[in-house]
Amino acid sequence: MEIIYKPTQDEIKKAAKALKDGHLVAFPTETVYGLGADATNEKAVGRIYSVKGRPTDHPLIVHISSISQLYKWAIEVPEYATKLAKSFWPGPMTLILKRSPLAKDFITGHQSLVGLRVPSHPISLMLIKELENLGANGIAAPSANRFGAVSATSVSAVIEELGTFLSTTDLVLDGGDSDVGIESTIIDCSGKFPNIMRPGLLSSEIIEEVCSEVLNFIPSDNIIKSSGLLKSHYSPAAQVVLEGQILPGEGFFAMAEIHTPPGAIRLGAPTSLEEFAKNLYAILRLADQKGLKRIKVVQPNGTGLAVAIRDRLVKAAANEH
Ligand code: TXA
Ligand code: MG
C-alpha cells in the first residue's frame, strides 16, 4: 500500500485513476476514514469485504459528489429526502433510498435500498469528482476498519487497522484527523416519514426542523441489514464499561468536569460534546496501545450529539470478553 500524506490535486487524480483501475483507496471524510472502491466494479467492491473481514450481505454506502448524482442511484425519491439532501449535503448524513438499476446487489447486500452520502471533506469530494470525470459513478466505502472494530479517524489508525490486509497497489490518502469523529447520521427515506437508523452529528432535532415528522429507530417494513445496528460494534480489545467502579490502573474517559477515580489512568478530558465525539475512537485505540484491560467511559448527558455518542458507547461496551 502507498500512503500519500497531504495529497495534491495531481495525487488525488492519481488516486481516482487507481479506483477506476479497480484498486482500493482509503480516504478521509469529515466523519471517519472510508475504504473506497469504484461502486460499479464488483471485483473491487468484493475486495472491500475481504480486507475488512465483513459479511457480504452488509450493504455499503455510495459516496457521490452532489445531489444531481442522487437520481442516478435512487428512484422514487420522496420530497422530504430531497429537502434533507439540499439542506445537509455535503455533510455527515446518509440517506437510504429505493435503488436504481445502477445499485447492484453487491453494493446493497441484495436489498432493494441503497445508501447515499455526499461527504464534505475537500479530499473526499475532489476524489469523487475526479472519479466521476473518468466516467464512473461514485465510491462505495464503509468505514476503514476491520469488521466490528473501532472506526479510523486518522491515517495512522487506518494503517493500524488495514495495513496488513491492503495490497501494494492500494492507496491511503491522508487528510488529517476527522473533524466529527463518529459516523454519519443514517436516515431511512424509503417510507412515508424519515426514520433515523443511526444517530450522528446531525441530530433528530435538526432534522425535525426540515421535516416536520421524524421517527427514531422504528424498524422498517423491509428488514434493513445495517452492521452499525448490530448490538456489538465499534469495540476495542480493552473491555469498555459504562457503569460501576473501576480499579487503579484501569483507563478512564469522561467530560472534563468529572473527576478521575483514585488510581485510574485518565485518557482524555473533553470540554464539549464535539470534542468528546472527535476524540472518542482515538481514546479507545489509546487504551489498547497502553495495553489496558478495561476502560470506563462516563456517558455524556443530553440530546443532540450526546445521543450519537451514547449509541456508539453502548455498542462498544456490548463486546463480549
Ligand atoms: O460516516 C460514515 O457513514 C462513514 C464514512 C466513510 O462515510 N461510513 C460508514 O460506513 O460508517 P459503514 O459501512 O461502516 O456503515 C454504514 C452503515 C452500515 O451499517 C450499513 O449496513 C448501512 O450503513 N447501510 C448502507 N447501505 C445501506 C442500505 N442500502 N440499507 C440499509 N443500510 C445500509
Ligand atoms: Mg463501520
Side-chain angles (χ1 to χ4, degrees):
M1 125 203 90
E2 186 187 345
I3 306 162
I4 305 178
Y5 290 96
K6 297 193 170 53
T8 62
Q9 185 162 1
D10 276 349
E11 286 168 326
I12 294 171
K13 268 191 187 163
K14 176 182 141 181
K17 177 77 171 50
L19 284 170
K20 186 74 179 125
D21 291 343
H23 305 294
L24 301 186
V25 176
F27 61 97
T29 85
E30 71 280 23
T31 56
V32 298
Y33 275 69
L35 174 64
D38 175 346
T40 52
N41 182 332
E42 181 166 13
K43 208 168 148 207
V45 171
R47 281 199 57 231
I48 290 182
Y49 287 95
S50 52
V51 168
K52 268 193 74 106
R54 181 178 183 168
T56 50
D57 60 350
H58 288 255
L60 299 174
I61 297 171
V62 179
H63 296 69
I64 53 177
S65 68
S66 71
I67 190 168
S68 60
Q69 305 291 320
L70 171 80
Y71 304 98
K72 287 191 178 165
W73 288 96
I75 55 166
E76 298 168 32
V77 179
E79 208 182 299
Y80 71 79
T82 307
K83 262 196 199 167
L84 286 170
K86 282 188 178 153
S87 306
F88 302 119
W89 277 348
M93 176 185 76
T94 297
L95 300 182
I96 307 290
L97 292 154
K98 286 199 186 134
R99 69 171 168 179
S100 77
L102 192 59
K104 298 283 191 287
D105 282 347
F106 61 81
I107 287 292
T108 69
H110 297 267
Q111 302 179 72
S112 58
L113 305 172
V114 63
L116 298 168
R117 174 161 113 83
V118 180
S120 66
H121 193 296
I123 293 176
S124 46
L125 263 185
M126 193 181 284
L127 183 66
I128 301 163
K129 279 185 190 146
E130 292 294 351
L131 181 62
E132 287 169 356
N133 286 343
L134 296 172
N137 284 299
I139 302 178
S143 52
N145 54 278
R146 294 283 288 167
F147 181 64
V150 179
S151 301
T153 53
S154 66
V155 81
S156 59
V158 174
I159 295 159
E160 194 177 291
E161 283 288 320
L162 305 178
T164 54
F165 301 96
L166 292 169
S167 67
T168 49
T169 46
D170 297 328
L171 298 176
V172 179
L173 301 182
D174 157 50
D177 291 344
S178 306
D179 256 354
V180 178
I182 59 171
E183 304 77 1
S184 61
T185 305
I186 299 183
I187 309 173
D188 175 14
C189 299
S190 64
K192 205 163 162 217
F193 302 110
N195 184 1
I196 300 177
M197 309 283 310
R198 179 175 73 183
L201 174 68
L202 194 71
S203 65
S204 58
E205 293 82 4
I206 300 173
I207 296 166
E208 222 165 72
E209 283 174 23
V210 174
C211 315
S212 44
E213 192 119 10
V214 180
L215 311 174
N216 275 293
F217 310 113
I218 309 282
S220 306
D221 297 345
N222 320 341
I223 297 162
I224 295 186
K225 277 225 183 73
S226 187
S227 48
L229 306 181
L230 293 176
K231 214 175 134 221
S232 162
H233 216 67
Y234 317 111
S235 295
Q239 185 186 2
V240 178
V241 296
L242 307 177
E243 305 285 342
Q245 296 254 314
I246 56 162
L247 301 173
E250 295 184 333
F252 185 73
F253 181 52
M255 295 291 284
E257 66 266 19
I258 299 173
H259 292 298
T260 313
I265 300 167
R266 180 124 200 171
L267 299 174
T271 55
S272 66
L273 289 173
E274 285 73 17
E275 196 187 336
F276 196 117
K278 187 176 162 123
N279 295 338
L280 175 61
Y281 292 149
I283 296 287
L284 296 181
R285 282 178 191 286
L286 183 62
D288 285 350
Q289 283 153 13
K290 288 182 177 289
L292 301 179
K293 296 274 173 290
R294 271 172 108 231
I295 169 175
K296 176 166 178 182
V297 185
V298 181
Q299 301 183 74
N301 296 319
T303 55
L305 190 52
V307 174
I309 293 172
R310 292 197 297 269
D311 168 75
R312 303 310 191 275
L313 285 176
V314 166
K315 283 169 186 153
N319 201 8
E320 281 169 22
H321 285 261

